Amino acid sequence: MRSRLEALRSVPFLRTLDEPTLKAVDARCAEKVYLKNEILFLEGDPPKGLLVIREGSVKIYKVGGTGREQILEIEGPGRSVAELPLFDGQPYPASCAAIEDTILLTMPVREFHALLERHPALSRAVIASLSQRLRRMVFLVRELSLEDVRTRLANLLLELAGSSDQVELPWTHQELAARIGTVREIVSRTLARMAQEGAVRIEGRRIHLLDRARLSS
Amino acid sequence: MRSRLEALRSVPFLRTLDEPTLKAVDARCAEKVYLKNEILFLEGDPPKGLLVIREGSVKIYKVGGTGREQILEIEGPGRSVAELPLFDGQPYPASCAAIEDTILLTMPVREFHALLERHPALSRAVIASLSQRLRRMVFLVRELSLEDVRTRLANLLLELAGSSDQVELPWTHQELAARIGTVREIVSRTLARMAQEGAVRIEGRRIHLLDRARLSS
DNA sequence: TCGGCGCCGTGACCAGGGTCACGGCCCCGG
DNA sequence: CCGGGGCCGTGACCCTGGTCACGGCGCCGA
């Protein structure tokens, strides 16, 4: 992710804007650096503006009474986060923290609303983007409610691998666990079991998917 | 819910339309009756149009391999369902069935898209509506992942009761269970335990909330 | 070089909750 | 009036997965 402009341009719904408009927007964005583990905002906070990741990545998550953490979404460069409060004026439904050092652009709330009013095409793009998010949440609900840990982990691995037959795990077991709604130990054990069954081979942080059929069984 | 027009008018995002437009829309809507348990569409089906409930109610749900069912949403008169595919062209992410006899209005896909283009305010309202849904899903994820059955059931009861101190259960235990991601037997047992603890009193289908504090503990 | 910290693996334990089976109740239709 | 189907309550059983504890490894900075 080179320039601020590039970052803005790669946000799905901002892509609909023409170049001059984008430049104007760019000029009004503040930039801020967050260190790994630093918190961008907490559940319940009032909207801060439209946040666009220029570099790094962040997690959107909820924490429960026991301190366990459920990650809703992880976003990387060229993605925006936490638009929800912008749209409905309600506070953030979840918290957000940097999972590595991160550079963030912030577009003021009013600026974004002005854009929305002036560019009808933007609204349609926003709708598409929200639809995406909603689908992901529905998927998550389905998994949490109806699938066991083994299956959820397998699905995550398959998703991370894409069409390749190996994954370089981008996160710790802790983070994997929070993503699929369980705890570190269980991820560790489940991976071990998968390896033992011959479904995967584990080389440190790299995982080879040996038998996709067996994995998703 | 008297007339078709009233039904349309009470859909949150259609409210933004002026009366003549709404009448024109009304004229182009098909009406259909579904019997209890009849299926409106299945996960993966292509979009059928914008569906508005005139009378009755439906559930949006997912089913898992073991046949268990997770309800995502229950919608009643004056609400629309399954807009997602309309917005992003993808197939339905979940299935939908009538939980009682239901009268449904169907607005053709193209008609809705035409409306979207011609009425910018509609887009903004749609965004608000989607945001709502997204919030509900986030809430559901949080509960499924981080709360136990006792808590989820208590929350549901509190939500159903609103500010009243009693609820007339609108659904069977089976449906309650599917809503909070568990099974009939557990709901039955958990209610019994709550009663025994003095948190509620159960009179058939009617539940008195005796001790809200103890309930949400 | 050493000490500490973050991450990972594993064993032992425990409990929430899912499954199965069965019996009772209520209501409706034949 | 009876029979059956839908719904509910409950006991017995078991297993997934969460908790606790501990030890090992690798890395980095003092």
Side-chain angles (χ1 to χ4, degrees):
Chain A
M1 194 60 41
R2 295 293 115 49
S3 71
R4 300 167 45 138
L5 204 51
E6 268 179 75
L8 291 176
R9 199 160 29 221
S10 51
V11 174
F13 54 84
L14 293 183
R15 237 193 294 258
T16 59
L17 299 175
D18 53 89
E19 204 62 8
T21 311
L22 217 51
K23 284 210 173 101
V25 166
D26 181 27
R28 316 186 101 253
C29 281
E31 190 169 286
K32 183 158 179 218
V33 176
Y34 291 85
L35 300 179
K36 179 172 178 174
N37 291 329
E38 204 171 340
I39 288 178
L40 308 208
F41 54 81
L42 289 173
E43 179 175 350
D45 284 359
K48 285 181 145 58
L50 179 69
L51 309 181
V52 175
I53 302 172
R54 179 172 170 187
E55 265 187 56
S57 55
V58 306
K59 64 180 173 189
I60 318 284
Y61 64 101
K62 288 263 203 187
V63 293
T66 65
R68 240 179 71 206
E69 176 179 308
Q70 170 68 50
I71 295 182
L72 300 176
E73 201 85 69
I74 290 186
E75 299 288 7
R79 308 268 312 168
S80 66
V81 285
E83 313 91 340
L84 251 192
L86 275 181
F87 301 150
D88 63 7
Q90 302 289 107
Y92 291 113
S95 307
C96 179
I99 56 184
E100 52 186 327
D101 293 355
T102 296
I103 305 179
L104 212 70
L105 304 177
T106 305
M107 182 189 319
V109 178
R110 337 200 45 169
E111 175 74 10
F112 181 71
H113 281 143
L115 275 181
L116 260 191
E117 301 223 348
R118 252 181 281 116
H119 302 268
L122 180 54
S123 295
R124 327 258 328 263
V126 163
I127 290 176
S129 164
L130 271 175
S131 300
Q132 278 280 100
R133 284 212 196 292
L134 191 47
R135 275 180 196 277
R136 285 192 69 80
M137 284 304 110
V138 167
F139 178 79
L140 196 51
V141 166
R142 179 194 180 291
E143 287 216 313
L144 288 174
S145 171
L146 302 171
E147 306 287 5
D148 59 18
V149 169
R150 165 68 142 77
T151 310
R152 282 181 259 155
L153 182 54
N155 286 344
L156 181 52
L157 291 181
L158 291 172
E159 181 189 333
L160 288 176
S163 56
S164 158
D165 62 341
Q166 51 179 36
V167 215
E168 184 76 27
L169 279 192
W171 311 306
T172 67
H173 284 190
Q174 169 59 39
E175 283 163 328
L176 287 179
R179 199 131 174 54
I180 63 176
T182 181
V183 296
R184 186 187 67 79
E185 294 93 321
I186 301 291
V187 167
S188 196
R189 272 196 246 280
T190 308
L191 277 176
R193 193 153 57 84
M194 284 175 172
Q196 184 174 337
E197 289 168 1
V200 303
R201 188 171 70 246
I202 302 178
E203 293 170 356
R205 196 130 270 214
R206 172 165 298 271
I207 296 185
H208 296 258
L209 310 184
L210 302 178
D211 187 344
R212 296 176 90 94
R214 187 174 319 218
L215 245 193
S216 50
S217 78
Chain B
M1 196 57 44
R2 296 290 114 53
S3 71
R4 300 166 46 140
L5 204 52
E6 268 179 74
L8 290 176
R9 198 162 27 221
S10 52
V11 173
F13 54 84
L14 293 183
R15 235 194 295 259
T16 59
L17 298 175
D18 53 89
E19 204 63 6
T21 311
L22 216 50
K23 285 210 173 99
V25 166
D26 181 27
R28 317 187 100 253
C29 280
E31 189 169 288
K32 186 161 176 214
V33 175
Y34 291 84
L35 299 180
K36 180 173 176 171
N37 291 328
E38 204 171 338
I39 288 177
L40 308 209
F41 55 80
L42 288 173
E43 178 175 349
D45 284 358
K48 284 180 146 55
L50 179 68
L51 309 181
V52 175
I53 303 173
R54 181 172 169 190
E55 265 185 57
S57 57
V58 306
K59 62 180 173 188
I60 318 284
Y61 64 100
K62 288 267 207 184
V63 293
T66 66
R68 240 179 70 204
E69 177 181 309
Q70 171 68 49
I71 295 181
L72 301 177
E73 200 85 67
I74 291 186
E75 299 287 7
R79 308 268 312 168
S80 66
V81 285
E83 312 92 340
L84 251 193
L86 274 180
F87 301 150
D88 63 7
Q90 301 291 106
Y92 291 113
S95 308
C96 178
I99 56 184
E100 52 185 326
D101 294 356
T102 295
I103 305 179
L104 212 70
L105 303 177
T106 305
M107 182 189 318
V109 178
R110 334 199 47 171
E111 174 74 11
F112 181 71
H113 281 144
L115 274 181
L116 260 190
E117 299 224 347
R118 253 181 281 118
H119 302 269
L122 181 54
S123 295
R124 325 258 328 263
V126 162
I127 290 176
S129 163
L130 271 174
S131 300
Q132 278 279 101
R133 284 211 196 294
L134 191 48
R135 273 179 197 277
R136 285 192 67 80
M137 284 304 108
V138 167
F139 178 79
L140 196 49
V141 166
R142 181 195 179 290
E143 287 215 313
L144 288 173
S145 171
L146 303 171
E147 306 287 5
D148 60 18
V149 169
R150 166 67 143 77
T151 310
R152 283 181 258 155
L153 183 52
N155 286 344
L156 181 52
L157 291 181
L158 291 172
E159 181 189 333
L160 288 176
S163 54
S164 158
D165 62 342
Q166 50 180 35
V167 214
E168 184 76 27
L169 280 191
W171 312 306
T172 67
H173 285 188
Q174 168 59 41
E175 284 164 328
L176 287 178
R179 198 130 175 53
I180 63 176
T182 180
V183 296
R184 187 187 66 79
E185 294 93 323
I186 301 292
V187 167
S188 196
R189 271 196 247 279
T190 307
L191 277 176
R193 193 152 58 83
M194 284 175 174
Q196 185 175 336
E197 289 168 2
V200 302
R201 189 170 72 246
I202 302 179
E203 291 169 358
R205 198 133 268 213
R206 172 165 297 273
I207 296 185
H208 296 258
L209 310 183
L210 301 178
D211 188 343
R212 296 176 90 96
R214 187 175 319 215
L215 245 192
S216 50
S217 78

